[in-house]
């Protein structure tokens, strides 16, 4: 048991020194977003404990092809990937937005079976997810060195830059890159690149362009789980910021723009109403059918990814895909 303690540790960058959660940024972002002529809320606030559970359910939906497609990519190509990553000596395997790490575990098992010398650094904004993950890894892959980090991506990258030297392989899976606007995505990949040395690698998971019907259904499922996931953001605001959103007067609405490759999600107010926020002391007016934009999930072409990589100091090494070519996991070399 003592030995396990040294193999698994968790640091929480999302808590302040006194142990309290930093809700100031959340309060600020919500107040700003609701004051805009075109209201918006950042999608990164979906993932409280309830939101993380709902996202787990989304990943099991028949319509949400992304997780199954990427699982197939990693499962089919895990041997090639493992040889690729562990060519020489010790390295840090950094997993940005690890969540339940269901897909990463395929790689972790492959690397462990080959007795590769590495430690695993899962990073996620959900503290609950990281506690659960370290627990499950302890059981499923005993002996694996795990250093979990709870925090926002940028926060975590800065921590990484200062605390971990040596060769790195960074995983950014699940098409999480798709939540950024294209320009923001480039800035973000450049930040990752700043934490790396030439020869380090980034495995980038991207959802590819495909039949718009298939994409739209993945974000507007028949069981209404994605709707509940989107609406949970309003429940979270009520709970954490003292809001009085009447959540049942809002509905989930999703649309896909096939030219931009942009899946867009909204919460639409079904009635004219006012919402009060204790955290800002302000009231926010909604007209009937006014919408709050809550998320974009971009879909990519392989050419787009290659171009993006070059702008950020990477070059495409290998493209791995599933049989349907729905999804790609791309090995990028830091140049
Ligand atoms: C976790 C950002 C990859 O955009 O597909 C799922 C989140 N939103 N259903 C995505 C999400 C609605 C998901 N990512």
């Amino acid at each position: 048991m003592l030995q396990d303690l040294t193999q698994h540790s968790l640091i929480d960058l999302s808590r302040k020194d006194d142990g309290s959660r930093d809700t100031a940024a959340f309060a600020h972002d919500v107040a700003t977003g609701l004051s805009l002529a075109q209201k918006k809320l950042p999608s990164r606030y979906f993932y409280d404990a309830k939101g993380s559970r709902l996202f787990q359910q989304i990943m099991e939906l028949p319509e949400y092809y992304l997780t199954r497609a990427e699982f197939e990519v990693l499962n089919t190509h895990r041997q090639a990937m493992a040889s690729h990553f562990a060519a020489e000596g010790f390295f840090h395997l950094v997993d940005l937005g690890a969540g339940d790490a269901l897909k990463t575990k395929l790689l972790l098992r492959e690397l462990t079976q080959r007795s590769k010398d590495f430690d695993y650094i899962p990073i996620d904004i959900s503290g609950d997810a990281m506690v659960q993950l370290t627990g499950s890894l302890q059981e499923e892959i005993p002996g694996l060195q795990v250093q979990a980090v709870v925090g926002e991506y940028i926060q975590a990258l800065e921590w990484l830059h200062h605390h971990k030297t040596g060769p790195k392989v960074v995983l950014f899976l699940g098409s999480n890159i798709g939540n950024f606007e294209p320009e923001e995505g480039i800035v973000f990949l450049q930040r990752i690149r700043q934490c790396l040395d030439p020869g380090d690698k980034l495995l980038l998971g991207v959802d590819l362009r495909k039949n718009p019907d298939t994409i739209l259904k993945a974000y507007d499922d028949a069981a209404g789980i994605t709707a509940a996931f989107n609406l949970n953001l309003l429940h979270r605001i009520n709970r954490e910021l003292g809001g009085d959103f009447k959540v049942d007067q809002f509905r989930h609405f999703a649309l896909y723009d096939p030219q931009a490759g942009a899946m867009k999600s909204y919460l639409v107010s079904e009635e004219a109403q006012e919402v009060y926020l204790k955290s800002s002391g302000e009231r926010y007016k909604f007209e009937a059918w006014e919408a709050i934009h809550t998320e974009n999930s971009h879909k990519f072409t392989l050419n787009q990814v290659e171009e993006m990589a070059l702008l950020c100091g990477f070059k495409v090494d290998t493209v791995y895909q599933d049989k349907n070519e729905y999804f790609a996991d791309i090995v990028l070399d830091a140049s």
Side-chain angles (χ1 to χ4, degrees), residues 53-61 64 218 225-226 229:
R53 276 202 300 280
L54 284 164
F55 183 59
Q56 289 289 128
Q57 281 176 260
I58 287 175
M59 289 191 290
E60 285 164 21
L61 289 170
Y64 197 76
I225 307 296
T226 307
F229 175 71

Side-chain angles (χ1 to χ4, degrees), residues 43 46-47 55 58-59 61 64-67 97 103 153 173-179 207 218-221 225-227 229-230 252 263 265 295-299 327:
S43 62
F46 281 143
Y47 304 91
F55 183 59
I58 287 175
M59 289 191 290
L61 289 170
Y64 197 76
Y65 59 85
L66 287 82
T67 310
K103 292 158 288 177
Y153 291 142
L173 306 180
S175 206
N176 283 324
I177 184 84
N179 275 172
D207 193 19
Y219 294 84
D220 199 9
D221 62 281
I225 307 296
T226 307
F229 175 71
N230 199 4
H252 167 71
M263 184 62 225
S265 299
E295 187 179 44
N296 280 349
S297 302
H298 289 94
K299 312 304 168 192
F327 206 95

